[in-house]
Amino acid sequence: MGELIKDGLRIDGRKPDELRPIKIEAGVLYRADGSAYVEWGGNKVLAAVYGPRELLPKHMQDPTKAVVNARYNMASFSVEDRKRPGPDRRSIEISKVTSEALESVIFTELFPRAVIDINIEILDAEAGTRCAGITAAAVALADAGIPMRDIPAACAAGKVDGQVVLDLRKEEDQEGEADLPIAIAPRTEEILLLQMDGHLTYKEFEEALELAIKGSKYVSKLQKEALRRKYKKVEEE
Ligand code: CDP
C-alpha cells in the first residue's frame, strides 16, 4: 500500500476520477457489416459484427428471436507472456457476459432464427479489456444498423491504496484492492453487466458504482461522436 497514489495523483498522473485517454473509430473494416476500433489507455481493441444472418446448423436456431453470439479473443501477442491461442476459461467467461449485456439492448425478436455474431479481438491488453471490448462491440453493432434500445457503454472503477478510483490501469489492477467493471444503457442508466474482483465495503461499492456510471456516460459521448464522424464521412463521399 501507498505506492500507487502519491499527493492525490495516480502513477500516470491521473486524478482519482479521471479516465485514461480513449479514441474510438467506427466503420474500420470493409468486410464486416459493422465494425469499430478502440484505443483505451494501453488497450487496442477491434470489434466486427456480422449479421443478422441465418443461424446454422438449424437446430441452434431460436424461432422467437436472434441469438447474440459475442466472442472475446486475446491475440497471443497482446499480453506480456505470450497467450496460448484459443479460448480459455477467462475468455469464455468474458464472451458470455458480453453476449448477455449486448443481447439485453438488441431487439432480437425482430430476427427469429438468425444469429448476430460479434467478434472482439484484443490486440493489445493493459487492463479493462472487457469494458473496452463491450464499448467497441456496441459501436460496431450501431455501425451495422442493428436495432437497439440504446448503445451500451462500459467502464470500470476500483480501489487502490484505500481509495476509490476510476478506470484502473495495469499496475492498479494487479496491485489494487478491487476492480468493478460495469456496462450500462446510458439513457436509463440500467446496469447490463456488473462484476467485481476483490473487496469493497458497501459504502465503497456505492461510490465505485457511481463513479463507473459517470465514466460509462463519458464513454457513451465518445461512442456517439465516433458514429457521427463515420456518417458525416459517408455523406461527404
Ligand atoms: O482486461 P480486464 O480487466 O477486463 O480483465 P482481467 O481478467 O481483470 O485482466 C486484467 C488484465 O490482465 C488484462 O487486461 C491484461 O492486461 C492482463 N492479462 C494478461 O496479462 N494475461 C492474460 N492471460 C489475461 C490477462
Side-chain angles (χ1 to χ4, degrees), residues 4-232:
L4 293 168
I5 298 184
K6 270 199 194 109
D7 303 325
L9 294 181
R10 297 153 71 179
I11 48 173
D12 51 11
R14 278 187 292 157
K15 296 190 202 84
D17 63 351
E18 214 175 312
L19 284 162
R20 290 173 287 179
I22 301 175
K23 276 198 278 184
I24 305 179
E25 201 181 332
V28 294
L29 299 174
Y30 177 69
R31 289 278 300 137
D33 294 316
S35 60
Y37 175 65
V38 170
E39 286 184 8
W40 183 325
N43 297 310
K44 294 192 174 68
V45 179
L46 200 52
V49 167
Y50 298 86
R53 57 188 178 188
E54 188 186 13
L55 175 54
L56 295 171
K58 280 198 165 167
H59 73 266
M60 301 286 286
Q61 293 179 354
D62 184 331
T64 65
K65 61 182 173 70
V67 171
V68 175
N69 175 29
R71 186 177 143 276
Y72 167 103
N73 183 55
M74 269 188 148
S76 54
F77 51 80
S78 68
V79 289
E80 212 152 314
D81 309 314
R82 176 179 182 278
K83 191 205 161 279
R84 196 161 166 264
D88 52 11
R89 277 176 59 100
R90 177 177 170 278
S91 57
I92 292 167
E93 173 220 315
I94 297 177
S95 298
K96 179 177 187 287
V97 295
T98 298
S99 298
E100 288 168 357
L102 296 172
E103 186 190 352
S104 62
V105 297
I106 298 174
F107 291 112
T108 51
E109 62 283 3
L110 296 176
F111 310 106
R113 303 180 205 286
V115 62
I116 298 168
D117 283 305
I118 305 159
N119 294 277
I120 299 167
E121 298 292 330
I122 309 299
L123 307 174
D124 233 336
E126 198 248 352
T129 59
R130 79 193 64 205
C131 291
I134 291 170
T135 297
V139 174
L141 283 165
D143 182 44
I146 307 281
M148 292 186 279
R149 288 193 284 122
D150 203 350
I151 301 172
C155 187
K159 182 182 170 190
V160 302
D161 281 359
Q163 193 169 335
V164 171
V165 298
L166 187 64
D167 186 29
L168 309 194
R169 61 175 286 129
K170 182 85 180 291
E171 296 81 353
E172 295 174 326
D173 181 77
Q174 281 175 338
E175 295 157 42
E177 291 103 83
D179 187 22
L180 181 91
I182 68 161
I184 63 167
R187 236 164 10 92
T188 54
E189 291 189 14
E190 181 190 342
I191 308 275
L192 308 176
L193 171 141
L194 191 155
Q195 297 185 287
M196 189 166 115
D197 197 7
H199 294 282
L200 293 173
T201 64
Y202 188 68
K203 194 167 155 286
E204 287 165 345
F205 170 79
E206 284 190 314
E207 203 186 321
L209 182 60
E210 198 185 318
L211 200 53
I213 290 173
K214 245 176 73 187
S216 302
K217 288 196 140 186
Y218 181 73
V219 170
S220 165
K221 236 178 65 186
L222 300 180
Q223 289 173 306
K224 286 176 185 151
E225 283 170 15
L227 286 161
R228 277 195 211 102
R229 272 199 307 276
K230 146 98 197 255
Y231 285 103
K232 200 157 161 255

